[in-house]
Amino acid sequence: MTKKILVTEKIAEEGIEALQKRGYQVDVKLDLTPEQLIEVIPPYEALIVRSQTFVTPSLIKAAENLKVIGRAGVTVDNIDIEAATEAGIIVCNAPTSNIVSAAEHTMALMLAAARKIPQANASMHAGQWVRTEFVGTELYGKTLAIFGLGRIGGLVAERACAFGMRLIGHDPYCSPERAEQLGVTLYDSVSEVVTQADFITVHLPKTADTIGMFGPEEYAAMKDGVILVNAARGGIYQPDSLADFVAAGKIAAVGIDVYEEEPCTEGPLHEFDNALLTPHIAAVTREAQVRAGVQIANYVWAGLEGSIVPTAINVSPLPPEVLDALGPYVPACKMMGRVIAQVLGNIPKSLRVELAGTIADADPEMLVAGVLDGILTYRRLSTVTSSNVDSVAARHGISVQTAGVSDAQEYASAVRVVADGVEISSTLFGIDQAARIASIMEYKIDMAPAKHSLIFEYVDAPGRIGTIGTILGAAGVNITTMQIGTKPAEQCALVYMNVEGEVSAEVLDELRAAIDLKNLWALTL
């Protein structure tokens, strides 16, 4: 029987033809309502979407034959990854399809702003011949600051280098080796960078740390006449204060392609001729569209044929015996990765993953991918699968070691992770094979972690637990479960405490002040 693929948004014909040549039936049905999509989806084995089709749990439940969901583009915010994973459906995307276009648009905005091209063009169309008003500035010899040296930031660095620019940057997750390869001098803080730059461009994900990252304090510290560009995510530059500094002449020009809310037809920058505004078109090129269509066609084909999907967002298809043995440990490894990310506060340089007991001889790649995915997706840096684990680790400068250990101590099997000296191990428990933390920081505990937890480490002494309980109780924080681990030789104790809801910074400060703590971490899993 011919396999059927449904395409719900316009993609390049080259992508559709690639699938048809392989014998698939490809049906293009545009502008379906959610109800219509649920009605037509049952017979299809693959679904290809862009950004406007929302793949919800209800849709996935109705898609009884679906094996692959392909996103012809980069972001997958419109797809419920968890529901797809639970249903055993591969979700993949085309993450490199538009990176060249985005990098070129960044350079286009930079050049247009520096040479006042839009203003000169408008003058000519108004029937004027004015040259003195459009004195520009060269890129050659100027300092470009790049915030974010991932795929697109790296391509911008290469292109700016060809213009003879001096490159500096800030990216706490970029390895020194990669920065050196790109010709970028890295700095540890934003403040060190902004004071040197003639041009600034940002290539960062949208996170709590990056939204509003640049505001009045950063603008005031910049050079007079600086030019700012953003073709990444809206809101990284605070727009209201940015408009104030443009109006004052401190910032000579800006080139903006992305906005906090889209479509954006009015805003604080719209009144300025030296604010170059484009409607989120950095990725809108013929080449990028063709690339996205062809790439996603190839990945969907691979998924339907049972091959490895290089860009799988969730776990790539693996032999049943491997999935049976290691599959239940993937959530546990992701959990341990998220704990490590929050305890360390940065990306580790070294990572060791040990498989113990009955899984000691298994291929560890899937579990290494799970740990790295937990570390990096917590900071929204990368999505890691078995297919890309080696390249992602290399890109972030992480040295990975694996080992099989026959002795899992009192457990049938366990996974132990050590990252830059931070240790955590996990095993599975019960019919549901739920993850339990077996040790952390070399303290033995037996704990099923909740969404919100506190970890205390201190020199053991009477009354510590009582003080913690009193402070949390007074703040209205409910403790659900708690485990204590000790190191008698060091007279130290560790308390892993699950709580209901987030604990405020003020309460954490009160705990630190009341108890002589070695460490206190508030975790969100």
Side-chain angles (χ1 to χ4, degrees):
M1 183 181 293
T2 303
K3 294 178 180 179
K4 300 177 68 177
I5 299 172
L6 177 61
V7 180
T8 60
E9 296 178 67
K10 186 173 178 59
I11 67 168
E13 281 298 321
E14 290 86 343
I16 293 173
E17 291 170 3
L19 291 167
Q20 290 172 334
K21 287 177 181 177
R22 286 168 167 149
Y24 297 109
Q25 176 184 327
V26 183
D27 297 333
V28 180
K29 298 184 179 182
L30 308 180
D31 302 319
L32 294 175
T33 66
E35 294 75 21
Q36 289 171 329
L37 183 53
I38 287 174
E39 186 176 342
V40 303
I41 195 66
Y44 290 98
E45 294 189 45
L47 171 66
I48 296 177
V49 303
R50 291 184 66 184
S51 61
Q52 298 304 306
T53 299
F54 287 88
V55 184
T56 63
S58 298
L59 177 61
I60 289 170
K61 184 177 181 181
E64 54 195 44
N65 290 298
L66 202 62
K67 295 180 176 64
V68 184
I69 300 169
R71 161 70 166 98
V74 180
T75 60
V76 290
D77 298 341
N78 54 316
I79 301 172
D80 193 309
I81 304 297
E82 184 176 348
T85 303
E86 288 178 1
I89 298 169
I90 301 166
V91 179
C92 56
N93 64 347
T96 63
S97 58
N98 63 20
I99 59 175
V100 172
S101 297
E104 289 184 356
H105 193 70
T106 298
M107 297 304 298
L109 289 173
M110 200 182 305
L111 285 163
R115 297 308 301 269
K116 304 182 180 179
I117 290 173
Q119 299 94 312
N121 176 66
S123 174
M124 289 290 289
H125 281 280
Q128 301 172 356
W129 183 268
V130 179
R131 301 175 66 195
T132 56
E133 293 182 9
F134 306 120
V135 176
T137 184
E138 294 181 348
L139 302 192
Y140 179 78
K142 301 302 190 301
T143 297
L144 170 64
I146 305 174
F147 288 86
L149 288 164
R151 292 189 182 99
I152 296 173
L155 290 176
V156 170
E158 291 174 358
R159 284 149 179 77
C161 185
F163 277 87
M165 303 188 81
R166 171 181 173 250
L167 305 180
I168 61 175
H170 172 72
D171 186 337
Y173 312 113
C174 177
S175 67
E177 294 78 14
R178 173 170 169 78
E180 183 179 2
Q181 183 182 31
L182 292 170
V184 178
T185 301
L186 280 179
Y187 289 87
D188 293 332
S189 67
V190 173
S191 60
E192 289 179 287
V193 177
V194 296
T195 57
Q196 302 182 56
D198 301 299
F199 295 81
I200 295 175
T201 180
V202 293
H203 302 282
L204 301 164
K206 185 177 182 179
T207 70
D209 292 330
T210 61
I211 294 305
M213 179 175 173
F214 293 87
E217 184 177 343
E218 289 73 26
Y219 300 144
M222 292 176 185
K223 280 185 175 182
D224 291 344
V226 67
I227 292 175
L228 276 56
V229 172
N230 183 7
R233 292 289 185 269
I236 294 174
Y237 297 134
Q238 295 177 21
D240 291 332
S241 53
L242 177 58
D244 293 337
F245 280 83
V246 171
K250 171 74 173 181
I251 295 173
V254 297
I256 306 292
D257 184 57
V258 286
Y259 309 88
E260 289 183 282
E261 294 185 10
E262 298 181 359
C264 177
T265 56
E266 59 181 5
L269 293 170
H270 279 65
E271 65 179 279
F272 301 106
D273 291 340
N274 54 340
L276 283 61
L277 309 178
T278 54
H280 203 156
I281 59 171
V284 183
T285 63
R286 171 64 183 161
E287 294 83 357
Q289 302 306 308
V290 170
R291 209 176 286 124
V294 172
Q295 285 181 5
I296 206 62
N298 290 333
Y299 300 148
V300 166
W301 168 77
L304 289 176
E305 297 304 314
S307 300
I308 292 294
V309 181
T311 65
I313 301 300
N314 44 6
V315 178
S316 301
L318 292 163
E321 64 272 16
V322 177
L323 281 176
D324 288 343
L326 298 184
Y329 267 104
V330 172
C333 287
K334 290 187 177 183
M335 175 271 293
M336 288 191 285
R338 291 176 69 86
V339 171
I340 286 168
Q342 294 173 79
V343 169
L344 282 178
N346 53 42
I347 302 303
K349 294 300 180 185
S350 66
L351 179 69
R352 180 179 174 85
V353 179
E354 298 176 357
L355 280 60
T358 58
I359 61 172
D361 296 328
D363 185 343
E365 191 172 67
M366 183 200 301
L367 301 189
V368 173
V371 174
L372 276 174
D373 191 66
I375 292 171
L376 297 175
T377 56
Y378 177 75
R379 297 185 174 278
R380 293 190 169 183
L381 294 174
S382 296
T383 298
V384 189
T385 68
S386 300
S387 304
N388 67 359
V389 59
D390 292 336
S391 61
V392 170
R395 188 165 73 244
H396 290 282
I398 304 171
S399 172
V400 178
Q401 293 182 325
T402 60
V405 181
S406 59
D407 183 12
Q409 299 183 20
E410 62 261 48
Y411 305 109
S413 63
V415 176
R416 180 173 181 264
V417 179
V418 182
D420 284 359
V422 173
E423 181 270 351
I424 182 171
S425 68
S426 179
T427 189
L428 304 179
F429 179 78
I431 297 174
D432 295 334
Q433 294 189 291
R436 296 185 75 87
I437 297 175
S439 67
I440 185 166
M441 318 296 181
E442 306 291 348
Y443 291 90
K444 292 188 67 173
I445 61 173
D446 181 16
M447 189 72 168
K451 182 176 181 180
H452 300 287
S453 304
L454 298 175
I455 301 177
F456 302 83
E457 186 182 20
Y458 51 76
V459 175
D460 202 6
R464 301 291 202 200
I465 298 298
T467 301
I468 292 170
T470 299
I471 292 172
L472 293 177
V477 177
N478 187 38
I479 302 169
T480 56
T481 51
M482 181 178 70
Q483 272 271 308
I484 302 174
T486 60
K487 290 182 180 177
E490 299 177 17
Q491 297 184 326
C492 288
L494 178 139
V495 177
Y496 194 110
M497 183 180 290
N498 290 331
V499 296
E500 289 184 353
E502 292 188 23
V503 180
S504 69
E506 291 78 10
V507 174
L508 295 176
D509 288 340
E510 186 177 354
L511 288 164
R512 292 187 181 97
I515 304 171
D516 184 18
L517 295 171
K518 293 181 66 177
N519 289 295
L520 169 59
W521 296 281
L523 307 182
T524 301
L525 301 178

